[in-house]
Amino acid sequence: MEKFTTLQSRAIPLHIENVDTDQIIPARFLKATDREGFGNNVFRDWRYHKDGTINTDFVLNDSKYSGSILVAGDNFGCGSSREHAAWAITDFGFKVVVSSFFADIFKGNALNNGLLPVQVSPAFLSDLMQRVVSNPETELVVDLEKQTISVKDSELSENFEIDAYKKTCMINGYDDIDYLINNKEQIEAFEAQKIY
Amino acid sequence: MSKTLFDKVWDSHVVSTIENGPQILYIDKHLIHEVTSPQAFNELEDRGIPVFRSNQIVATADHNTPTLNQDQPIKDELSRKQLEQLSENCKKNNITLYELGHKYNGIVHVMAPELGVTQPGLTMVCGDSHTSTHGAFGAIAFGIGTSQVAQVFASQCLLLTKPKSLRVTVNGKLKNGVLPKDVILYIISKLGTNSGTGYFCEYAGNVFEDMSMEGRMTVCNMSIEMGARGGMIAPDETTFEYVKGREFAPKGEAFDKKVAYWKTLPTDSDAKFDKEYSFDAEDIAPMITYGTNPGMGIKISETIPVDENPSFKKSLAYMNFEAGESLINKPINFVFIGSCTNSRIEDFRVAANYIKGKKKAANVTAWLVPGSKQVETQIIEEGLKSIFDDAGFELRQPGCSACLAMNDDKIPQGEYCVSTSNRNFEGRQGQGSRTILASPLVAAATAVEGKIIDISRQLN
């Protein structure tokens, strides 16, 4: 897993609530057996019309906006457990998703793929969304060590929460498999004396 | 100290706790399917890590499978490849696989309970968010991502922070025509799609106690639609009776010993939950959804609410519905009865009971997709198939089918589908399709009438 410490970038505003994983990556693209290439189809049915032409109204197709931070509406990533959603977002080039609320499974999947979910207050999100929408050149700074997200050259800044263990994993690029395998003896001992 | 059902099962599975961090939770049963497992197998192979406990894994092919001509080679190359890879991976790692055509094949959340793999007090995971279904037995069951599938392969454990506890209590007498699906759609419509996020939910009250296991599975299945990782119902005689005698259930004395243990699992009377909600059964009516998330539901006789929120408006625009309008008499051309929510024998009995002696409306394409081979066989043996055939419904072969439209069972662009599945997201049943979630009874009635009707009025 790639390490994450700090990131300064412009952001793309996705001003929609309850973005579900079926929108992030539709089911018909889940037939692949490897992890690569899902970025081509991220938000496929919002980026393209059914006839394959580009939907110029969708924010990801608006050349004004760029950057590796996605600023999204409340309850991002609800629905299916497909990790393909996290793969698609990272493959497209995002390293951070900001929202006022994340669905559990998506949040876990993101953290397992070096994609940082930054949960902010609804008021902060609303302010941030407005600034990014009105000024696409707005630069955001995400500092994982300090657990802060700020708008560069402004007073707008907020702290965010992250599990201490997951924070260490993100900063060092560790994943859970390493940790679990190193604890095999303990797991075997547990199996030997299960009470149920 | 007083404990909830969830506490008891969780605490008995904690291997260890990282200081200021997550816990190592032991997983008893790991269910896998073709879509979310290949990358996990690849990861293990790349890192040279063996599968730790292959005898605790059960595999089935369901998401991507055709529901016609299952005895013939799969036409779609990518789907075929994905199924072949599942077979290869299972063979290589000594994992039991019920592949397409096997008498135990079916949707993972239908076939595992049928086989007695699902039992009270267990921890179960699957790379599928509807794993919450198995909580109906008093198991802790939840969906995981593919990285976690790899973790369970490697260690039979997961690193997790214990979720908070939530209890939803429904007491009283359900009205005529109100099914378990209506109960859960009602709860989600009241609580919204993220009220359960960060929580594990227990359903309590006489409404759930009186439900069959099939009904309880329908309820727990949709826990994830209100954001809860899982839902649970206390095991009782109904549970024990269901598990007894199934293929992988303990037998004889071993079964009695298990039952004695399972009886200790229900929530202690003075246990505290982090959040509680309570509803009155009499207020629940046959439900229907009008929007693009499962929380956007109303009683079938109600009108679509008015809301100025842009996401709400976007959702109605997608559905081509107006705020304030009624859905009664809306013409519907597609009906789907199936999915891990409603594809068990009881669901088809409800549908057949309504359909008997009636005919499907000419404008409707009606697909009935059983959840498993066993359900399919039962439909035929109980004579339900001939009722469906006579009425013009099409009984297909088992699989996830039009719930997520990964196979050829797609609803065309712009068409409405009254569906017994669990998600009405944009394009869920095919690009541009519009899903209306409902119970098997409402779905059957829609197919007969060719439009949405007020089923409660008809029944009364």
Side-chain angles (χ1 to χ4, degrees):
Chain A
M1 200 171 79
E2 258 186 70
K3 294 178 186 179
F4 188 105
T5 47
T6 57
L7 176 71
Q8 181 180 325
S9 168
R10 288 187 191 181
I12 300 182
L14 183 63
H15 201 350
I16 303 171
E17 292 173 10
N18 298 312
V19 173
D20 59 74
T21 52
D22 273 79
Q23 306 319 314
I24 300 173
I25 184 84
R28 62 184 187 279
F29 299 114
L30 306 187
K31 294 180 182 181
T33 52
D34 52 36
R35 291 182 186 223
E36 280 75 49
F38 288 102
N40 292 332
N41 296 313
V42 74
F43 297 111
R44 177 78 198 195
D45 294 341
W46 286 348
R47 279 163 67 205
Y48 297 92
H49 296 296
K50 200 173 178 195
D51 61 9
T53 56
I54 289 175
N55 174 11
T56 49
D57 291 339
F58 186 56
V59 69
L60 255 62
N61 294 326
D62 188 339
S63 57
K64 277 206 302 284
Y65 299 105
S66 63
S68 48
I69 299 175
L70 182 67
V71 180
D74 195 54
N75 197 25
F76 187 82
C78 57
S80 145
S81 64
R82 60 188 71 163
E83 194 161 314
H84 312 66
W87 300 336
I89 290 173
T90 48
D91 192 45
F92 190 78
F94 291 112
K95 295 190 179 339
V96 170
V97 185
V98 184
S99 177
S100 48
F101 201 88
F102 289 95
D104 274 340
I105 307 182
F106 176 80
K107 193 178 187 176
N109 288 341
L111 288 165
N112 282 333
N113 285 279
L115 174 67
L116 185 66
V118 173
Q119 187 164 329
V120 295
S121 66
F124 182 88
L125 181 68
S126 160
D127 204 346
L128 183 66
M129 190 73 83
Q130 220 162 21
R131 288 190 195 214
V132 174
V133 169
S134 58
N135 178 13
E137 290 176 16
T138 305
E139 292 271 333
L140 310 187
V141 181
V142 177
D143 188 326
L144 178 55
E145 189 65 59
K146 292 187 188 142
Q147 296 180 218
T148 56
I149 174 165
S150 0
V151 173
K152 200 170 172 256
D153 303 327
S154 88
E155 75 302 340
L156 192 66
S157 180
E158 195 171 82
N159 292 326
F160 62 87
E161 296 289 319
I162 182 171
D163 178 280
Y165 165 81
K166 274 293 168 196
K167 179 177 172 178
T168 312
C169 288
M170 288 283 286
I171 288 172
N172 296 295
Y174 299 155
D175 66 21
D176 291 354
I177 287 199
D178 300 323
Y179 188 90
L180 289 166
I181 286 184
N182 288 333
N183 283 277
K184 260 223 179 118
E185 273 178 32
Q186 215 179 356
I187 295 168
E188 280 168 338
F190 174 86
E191 286 179 321
Q193 43 133 43
K194 274 190 300 195
I195 55 153
Y196 54 88
Chain B
M1 205 187 84
S2 305
K3 285 187 169 192
T4 65
L5 162 65
F6 174 72
D7 289 334
K8 292 180 194 183
V9 182
W10 180 281
D11 295 350
S12 67
H13 286 78
V14 173
V15 175
S16 70
T17 303
I18 301 176
E19 215 183 312
N20 298 321
Q23 295 180 305
I24 300 184
L25 190 79
Y26 190 79
I27 304 301
D28 296 311
K29 299 283 178 199
H30 186 191
L31 310 172
I32 64 168
H33 61 84
E34 73 276 25
V35 175
T36 56
S37 68
Q39 292 88 350
F41 280 114
N42 291 348
E43 185 175 351
L44 250 65
E45 206 161 294
D46 290 349
R47 293 166 74 160
I49 303 168
V51 171
F52 183 53
R53 294 286 180 250
S54 53
N55 60 341
Q56 287 168 244
I57 308 171
V58 175
T60 186
D62 58 3
H63 278 65
N64 210 347
T65 54
T67 55
L68 291 174
N69 306 318
Q70 289 188 346
D71 55 330
Q72 290 166 28
I74 296 169
K75 286 191 201 123
D76 182 284
E77 196 192 324
L78 286 173
S79 301
R80 193 174 64 238
K81 208 181 134 207
Q82 209 170 40
L83 291 173
E84 282 168 1
Q85 191 146 353
L86 179 70
S87 303
E88 262 174 53
N89 284 330
C90 288
K91 207 167 163 188
K92 231 189 284 179
N93 294 288
N94 291 319
I95 293 166
T96 305
L97 164 67
Y98 299 113
E99 56 194 342
L100 203 57
H102 190 283
K103 66 173 179 172
Y104 291 157
N105 174 259
I107 305 176
V108 62
H109 311 310
V110 178
M111 52 77 76
E114 259 174 8
L115 290 176
V117 172
T118 307
Q119 293 169 23
L122 297 181
T123 49
M124 302 178 70
V125 294
C126 175
D128 187 283
S129 59
H130 293 109
T131 308
S132 57
T133 309
H134 308 266
F137 292 76
I140 287 184
F142 53 92
I144 56 175
T146 297
S147 294
Q148 292 176 308
V149 171
Q151 290 160 25
V152 182
F153 280 161
S155 68
Q156 207 55 40
C157 287
L158 285 171
L159 278 167
L160 296 166
T161 303
K162 188 176 178 180
K164 287 182 277 190
S165 63
L166 157 71
R167 179 162 61 184
V168 175
T169 306
V170 186
N171 278 311
K173 192 176 179 319
L174 290 175
K175 284 183 202 147
N176 195 13
V178 174
L179 300 186
K181 180 63 163 287
D182 299 308
V183 175
I184 189 64
L185 282 175
Y186 172 89
I187 293 170
I188 301 168
S189 78
K190 294 288 177 192
L191 301 183
T193 50
N194 63 12
S195 58
T197 307
Y199 292 82
F200 234 81
C201 178
E202 179 175 341
Y203 300 96
N206 74 284
V207 163
F208 304 109
E209 288 163 17
D210 296 344
M211 272 182 198
S212 66
M213 288 314 295
E214 284 85 352
R216 293 179 190 183
M217 284 190 255
T218 299
V219 170
C220 289
N221 172 277
M222 289 192 71
S223 303
I224 185 70
E225 310 312 336
M226 56 176 177
R229 200 73 182 267
M232 297 176 91
I233 293 174
D236 59 9
E237 290 303 327
T238 307
T239 322
F240 311 149
E241 202 45 50
Y242 181 97
V243 174
K244 195 177 183 175
R246 291 187 184 263
E247 181 90 16
F248 297 108
K251 306 275 169 354
E253 208 177 307
F255 182 77
D256 297 338
K257 265 175 95 174
K258 283 282 184 193
V259 169
Y261 169 62
W262 295 341
K263 284 183 175 170
T264 68
L265 293 175
T267 295
D268 298 329
S269 56
D270 50 350
K272 294 269 179 293
F273 287 80
D274 295 308
K275 204 153 83 168
E276 292 232 38
Y277 296 101
S278 173
F279 297 103
D280 183 1
E282 278 84 9
D283 189 46
I284 308 175
M287 297 288 293
I288 202 149
T289 64
Y290 57 86
T292 56
N293 72 58
M296 299 173 84
I298 47 174
K299 293 175 188 170
I300 206 163
S301 56
E302 288 177 336
T303 55
I304 296 175
V306 179
D307 192 328
E308 290 307 311
N309 177 308
S311 295
F312 182 89
K313 286 177 144 179
K314 177 180 183 293
S315 181
L316 284 199
Y318 181 85
M319 293 300 289
N320 198 25
F321 289 151
E322 304 282 338
E325 77 172 328
S326 161
L327 294 181
I328 304 294
N329 291 329
K330 281 273 173 200
I332 302 292
N333 295 330
F334 288 84
V335 168
F336 171 62
I337 301 182
S339 88
C340 58
T341 313
N342 282 121
S343 65
R344 299 180 180 84
I345 189 63
E346 197 174 275
D347 301 314
F348 293 102
R349 286 185 194 138
V350 165
N353 190 39
Y354 180 86
I355 291 164
K356 197 171 185 175
K358 301 186 179 84
K359 288 265 183 263
K360 172 185 78 64
N363 61 309
V364 173
T365 301
W367 291 333
L368 306 171
V369 182
S372 70
K373 281 303 263 190
Q374 293 206 69
V375 172
E376 184 189 22
T377 308
Q378 225 172 333
I379 288 173
I380 296 165
E381 283 174 3
E382 291 186 14
L384 309 184
K385 184 177 185 302
S386 53
I387 295 173
F388 296 138
D389 288 347
D390 291 348
F393 287 68
E394 188 184 353
L395 180 67
R396 295 189 156 217
Q397 291 167 306
C400 298
S401 180
C403 171
L404 84 168
M406 267 194 85
N407 66 359
D408 292 337
D409 306 348
K410 296 182 203 306
I411 307 304
Q413 167 104 7
E415 289 285 354
Y416 293 109
C417 177
V418 170
S419 175
T420 66
S421 53
N422 39 57
R423 290 190 173 134
N424 48 353
F425 297 154
E426 283 184 29
R428 171 83 177 179
Q429 298 193 285
Q431 270 181 282
S433 64
R434 296 168 171 147
T435 303
I436 296 169
L437 301 175
S439 76
L441 177 62
V442 169
T446 307
V448 167
E449 301 290 339
K451 60 183 186 181
I452 296 171
I453 61 155
D454 188 348
I455 187 74
S456 22
R457 189 176 279 189
Q458 192 183 63
L459 291 174
N460 293 328

